Amino acid sequence: MTERGRAPSADLYSPRRRTALILTGTGTAGAYHAGVLRALHEAGVKLDIVAGRGIGSIGALFAAVDGTQRLWDEKGFWRAPAVRRLYQWRPVLQLTVAALFVAVALVAVPLVVMAAGLVVFPIDFALKIAGASAASGLVHRYLDLAETAFAPAALPTWLPRLVLIVLGLAGITVAVAAWIERSRRRHRGSVWWRVVRAPLSTATAVNHCWAVMWDLVRGAAALEQPTPDDLGRRYGELLVDNLGQPGFRELLIAVHDVDAHRDLIFALVGEARRRDLVRRPTTAEADTRRAEVLDLSGVARGHLTDAIAASLAVPLATEPHPIRFAPDAYWRGEAHRLCDRPGSLHRLVEELAILEAEQIVLVSAAPDSPGPHALAPPRLDGRGRIGEYLQSSEAASVRDVARRTVEGGPRVFTIRPAHNPIGPFDFAGGFDDRSDRVQPLTELMTRGYEDAYHQFIEPVVGASGDRVGQGVS
């Protein structure tokens, strides 16, 4: 396995071996994935399996059906204006903050009227010293305004009522939203905690993903976009029918089941390997596989949209995605909560080994630790703080996978930036202390493209001496 600071050995890579690609990360890491996929596509790197966790599930989703160009082209996923709205604050939270701001502004109106006197009197005094006759009425007009504003029928009467109306409407809206968003399962704890929910929303990210996928699937036909569930079923049928054809690859997506306390693997693989992925010799092991591995071409064929939504759900920052299993599945129709987990990267590597992957290309936008005397000021904003933890956890997981050696296991080649100033939620770009400027998301995409060439294509693929087979697209 390759490690930073050690040149990867081209002798360990061959395009004739079964090759898997893992895309791992959160939020803006998807732009880095898009740049890497573009480089692999141009270099004609052969891939047999694509796997993803977090935002990497979107890159894997497109790569599995020969559609990665829709990630980086001018009208693609990561260049669309909708990207700036990914993981926005929840609408109810925005409304609550706006209502509090308006209420505070209304309460401040009398203070503003009083504070205006601190400006009017000095100006009046200065104008009188300068001999300006027009200044004589300035103070009188201010006093008349203050008397009118604080009259019994003015501010003291309607201002408290207006503040009460604003806060009351906000409270009613929050209560209605909490009732609408109630879970399909019973809650434990006070009813008031239904209002206090995760601050960020995944709705825009999920909708944008399927909108771009529909543009790819429909081609030039002017058809109305189906529901995500219907589109997910069509996608599964398309991939299963074309597995083995150039550009189509097996697909794995890893998510975490909060209620079952285990990682789940959603898989679309070839018929020959489908039985090996789920069935096991012993009964106990077979039950475990049935609980954790969901065949998207079998009983779980309608759960691809759940897999994507769950992989985009960031722990604590967003609400877990609810899923209702089929009555004839292992979980017997139960409703569970699913989300992403950075540590599930290890599980993906294990599953790829089961699928007989001989070499793995691991792509992450989280840089490794640069060493001492390279600390940056910590983030103070909410999304920045969450992003710092996620990026640090991601870097640790990648380091552990890259250093782990398994006898007879797949060889891992990593592609990751040496430095990345853009946090997972900095969709408008991130400020780089090293260059004293803001780096846009398009630059992160370019960095992925360059890193793929410098860290893998040129030193590994180019030096292998073998002819590269079919490309990523």
Side-chain angles (χ1 to χ4, degrees):
M1 300 184 184
T2 58
E3 301 178 17
R4 298 202 65 82
R6 180 182 301 175
S9 174
D11 298 335
L12 303 173
Y13 173 85
S14 171
R16 296 189 178 93
R17 293 173 182 162
R18 186 165 164 80
T19 307
L21 173 72
I22 296 181
L23 303 174
T24 176
T26 305
T28 59
Y32 187 82
H33 299 161
V36 172
L37 286 169
R38 182 175 184 178
L40 298 179
H41 165 68
E42 292 181 357
V45 176
K46 180 187 73 70
L47 296 175
D48 302 289
I49 318 171
V50 288
R53 59 141 293 269
I55 199 71
S57 64
I58 292 181
L61 190 74
F62 282 84
V65 292
D66 196 23
T68 52
Q69 285 181 312
R70 292 304 179 105
L71 297 174
W72 70 72
D73 62 21
E74 290 302 323
K75 296 183 179 180
F77 187 99
W78 290 105
R79 295 185 185 273
V83 169
R84 287 179 171 264
R85 300 190 300 273
L86 301 186
Y87 291 101
Q88 284 189 312
W89 297 107
R90 293 175 60 249
V92 174
L93 181 60
Q94 294 182 23
L95 176 63
T96 303
V97 174
L100 291 175
F101 178 81
V102 171
V104 170
L106 290 173
V107 172
V109 169
L111 300 178
V112 172
V113 174
M114 295 178 61
L118 300 177
V119 178
V120 170
F121 285 102
I123 292 177
D124 178 76
F125 179 74
L127 291 176
K128 286 182 178 179
I129 292 179
S133 58
S136 58
L138 185 61
V139 173
H140 294 291
R141 286 194 291 272
Y142 167 73
L143 293 176
D144 292 339
L145 174 63
E147 184 177 359
T148 303
F150 289 99
L155 289 180
T157 300
W158 59 262
L159 189 61
R161 297 175 182 175
L162 189 58
V163 172
L164 184 62
I165 290 174
V166 170
L167 295 179
L169 290 176
I172 292 174
T173 303
V174 170
V176 171
W179 182 82
I180 293 175
E181 296 179 3
R182 69 190 188 281
S183 172
R184 287 174 284 185
R185 295 171 49 189
R186 291 186 301 173
H187 291 276
R188 288 183 294 177
S190 173
V191 68
W192 300 109
W193 286 105
R194 290 189 182 184
V195 179
V196 183
R197 301 172 68 87
L200 303 182
S201 171
T202 61
T204 303
V206 173
N207 293 336
H208 184 46
C209 170
W210 291 114
V212 178
M213 177 56 69
W214 176 238
D215 287 339
L216 171 66
V217 172
R218 71 174 180 177
L223 301 175
E224 183 179 356
Q225 180 178 338
T227 63
D229 289 339
D230 186 21
L231 182 54
R233 291 188 184 93
R234 295 189 192 185
Y235 175 97
E237 295 170 359
L238 173 67
L239 182 55
V240 169
D241 292 342
N242 289 275
L243 277 176
Q245 300 298 320
F248 290 85
R249 303 164 183 91
E250 296 174 328
L251 173 68
L252 292 184
I253 295 174
V255 300
H256 184 68
D257 190 331
V258 178
D259 294 296
H261 306 167
R262 63 180 75 198
D263 292 329
L264 303 183
I265 300 296
F266 292 83
L268 268 170
V269 299
E271 179 64 31
R273 292 183 173 84
R274 193 177 303 154
R275 292 186 295 269
D276 296 335
L277 189 64
V278 179
R279 297 179 182 175
R280 284 295 177 269
T282 64
T283 303
E285 192 174 2
D287 286 343
T288 300
R289 299 298 295 178
R290 290 178 56 226
E292 298 178 351
V293 180
L294 287 80
D295 183 5
L296 293 174
S297 61
V299 177
R301 65 173 55 88
H303 288 316
L304 179 59
T305 52
D306 291 314
I308 297 298
S311 64
L312 297 177
V314 181
L316 299 181
T318 70
E319 288 295 318
H321 175 72
I323 180 175
R324 174 76 68 178
F325 293 103
D328 55 343
Y330 176 86
W331 294 107
R332 298 290 187 264
E334 291 182 358
H336 288 199
R337 297 167 297 162
L338 308 182
C339 66
D340 178 40
R341 186 177 77 91
S344 61
L345 176 61
H346 294 267
R347 180 62 184 274
L348 276 179
V349 174
E350 294 174 356
E351 297 297 332
L352 290 174
I354 294 175
L355 291 173
E356 300 178 335
E358 300 173 273
Q359 50 198 16
I360 297 174
V361 182
L362 174 59
V363 182
S364 171
D368 202 356
S369 173
H373 306 299
L375 295 179
R379 298 283 294 268
L380 297 179
D381 58 297
R383 293 200 292 185
R385 292 181 180 182
I386 298 173
E388 281 185 329
Y389 169 77
L390 290 173
Q391 200 166 54
S392 175
S393 179
E394 167 81 7
S397 296
V398 172
R399 187 185 309 114
D400 292 342
V401 168
R403 290 178 178 176
R404 188 180 61 175
T405 56
V406 178
E407 181 112 11
R411 183 67 56 175
V412 178
F413 302 90
T414 59
I415 301 175
R416 62 192 304 193
H419 172 60
N420 180 15
I422 301 179
F425 301 114
D426 295 335
F427 295 101
F431 183 79
D432 183 17
D433 293 318
R434 297 187 181 184
S435 58
D436 194 29
R437 64 184 179 88
V438 175
Q439 290 191 16
L441 210 57
T442 53
E443 187 168 337
L444 181 60
M445 196 182 309
T446 303
R447 180 62 58 83
Y449 179 87
E450 295 173 350
D451 288 345
Y453 268 100
H454 297 159
Q455 298 178 21
F456 179 68
I457 295 172
E458 293 174 354
V460 178
V461 179
S464 66
D466 292 319
R467 188 173 182 176
V468 178
Q470 69 182 41
V472 179
S473 54

